[in-house]
Amino acid sequence: MTAIARRDRRFGLVMSAPGLLALMLVVLFPVFFTLWTSVSDFTLLKPSNDAFVGLAHYANAFDSAEFLHTLTVTLSFVLAVVALEFLIGFAAALALDKVEHGKTFYYVVLLFPLLMNPVVVGLIWKMFLHPTLGIVNYVLSLVGLGPVDWLGTPDNAFMTVVLVDIWHQVSFMVVLLLAGLAALPKEPYEAARLEGAGTIRCFFWLTLPLMRPVIVVTLLIRLIFAVKTYDLIYIMTRGGPGQATDLVSYFIYRQAFVGLDISQASAMAVILLLAVLFLTAWLHRYMRSLAQ
């Protein structure tokens, strides 16, 4: 390395140091504070980290029937929303990829729900689905159907939350999958057409294999965000009825600010963080394997 290159490198490090320091303070400090709090005895009634308890809070978390139940509910919620959003989003992306005119209008319509804040989405649908004053039950009454208590029973509440999340997030799937479809090469399709392949064969032999990296990335990104769903649950159901919609993010919030046990909530948050990191590491490893 020449003297000029070494000088340029030192200059770059000096210029980037303030930004890196700020990034470490903003990102790493809360992470390390949460890790330390999870192995101490910090509550809102005794806000100090002076008592070290080791992994006791982690053991309590896995012994807690409520926490394990929230993990089960979260897993069911994530599988339902990711699978349904992918199927609907892929179908919409395939249809939009063939549209020649008016794509901008469709994009605006599709992106409108995605641009809305989850709190606003929750409030709007909670008003629409009100058992006596909601417009949904009013429409059902016009066709002779009785009112539905959308959020009043465990099964209805879970499916309602899933459907509202699909309405809000399916645009994310559509945008990413549509970008992947637009980037596919045209030559393999032209060769397949010359060999007599139809639309269905082209879809299974060309589109799905070529779209595999985009599909995997889209599913994993959506899966990671679905695991962290909180706003919709807080606004629409508060985890109820009972614990039917008690996702792990909302349970951690209740543990911290209703149960006042910050250390126990931190241990559960670390468990959730490790699960998300595992998914992210798997995504990174898969992407590197594709690049090689």
Side-chain angles (χ1 to χ4, degrees), residues 145-158:
L145 298 176
V148 178
D149 193 358
W150 298 98
L151 300 173
T153 64
D155 291 340
N156 284 352
F158 183 80

Side-chain angles (χ1 to χ4, degrees), residues 72-231:
T72 305
V73 174
T74 303
L75 179 62
S76 303
F77 175 82
V78 169
L79 291 177
V81 297
V82 172
L84 292 174
E85 287 172 12
F86 171 72
L87 293 175
I88 298 172
F90 203 13
L94 288 170
L96 281 175
D97 190 49
K98 303 299 181 185
V99 172
E100 298 291 340
H101 305 288
K103 274 191 175 181
T104 304
F105 172 76
Y106 292 114
Y107 287 156
V108 171
V109 173
L110 280 172
L111 289 176
F112 190 71
L114 192 61
L115 297 176
M116 297 174 66
N117 188 288
V119 175
V120 177
V121 173
L123 289 172
I124 289 174
W125 279 103
K126 192 173 183 179
M127 182 174 62
F128 283 174
L129 298 171
H130 192 279
T132 55
L133 303 176
I135 190 172
V136 176
N137 277 347
Y138 172 74
V139 172
L140 291 178
S141 69
L142 295 179
V143 295
L145 298 176
V148 178
D149 193 358
W150 298 98
L151 300 173
T153 64
D155 291 340
N156 284 352
F158 183 80
M159 287 309 302
T160 300
V161 171
V162 168
L163 293 175
V164 172
D165 188 86
I166 290 173
W167 180 87
H168 185 214
Q169 299 290 343
V170 73
S171 305
F172 176 80
M173 290 276 192
V174 176
V175 171
L176 290 187
L177 293 172
L178 189 57
L181 289 172
L184 293 182
K186 304 298 181 187
E187 293 79 6
Y189 289 91
E190 294 172 356
R193 296 289 185 191
L194 292 175
E195 294 294 331
T199 304
I200 296 178
R201 285 188 176 182
C202 286
F203 175 74
F204 285 104
W205 291 359
L206 294 175
T207 304
L208 280 182
L210 292 173
M211 283 287 292
R212 189 178 62 172
V214 179
I215 291 173
V216 171
V217 171
T218 304
L219 287 176
L220 282 175
I221 292 176
R222 184 64 195 102
L223 188 147
I224 290 170
F225 281 101
V227 169
K228 299 188 296 181
T229 300
Y230 167 80
D231 320 61

Side-chain angles (χ1 to χ4, degrees), residues 251-288:
F251 182 77
I252 292 171
Y253 159 79
R254 288 197 295 115
Q255 196 73 33
F257 298 106
V258 179
L260 309 182
D261 194 344
I262 301 296
S263 289
Q264 185 63 67
S266 297
M268 295 175 178
V270 171
I271 294 172
L272 181 62
L273 174 66
L274 292 176
V276 174
L277 284 177
F278 173 79
L279 291 173
T280 306
W282 187 84
L283 169 64
H284 180 67
R285 185 175 180 182
Y286 181 80
M287 293 302 296
R288 287 189 62 182

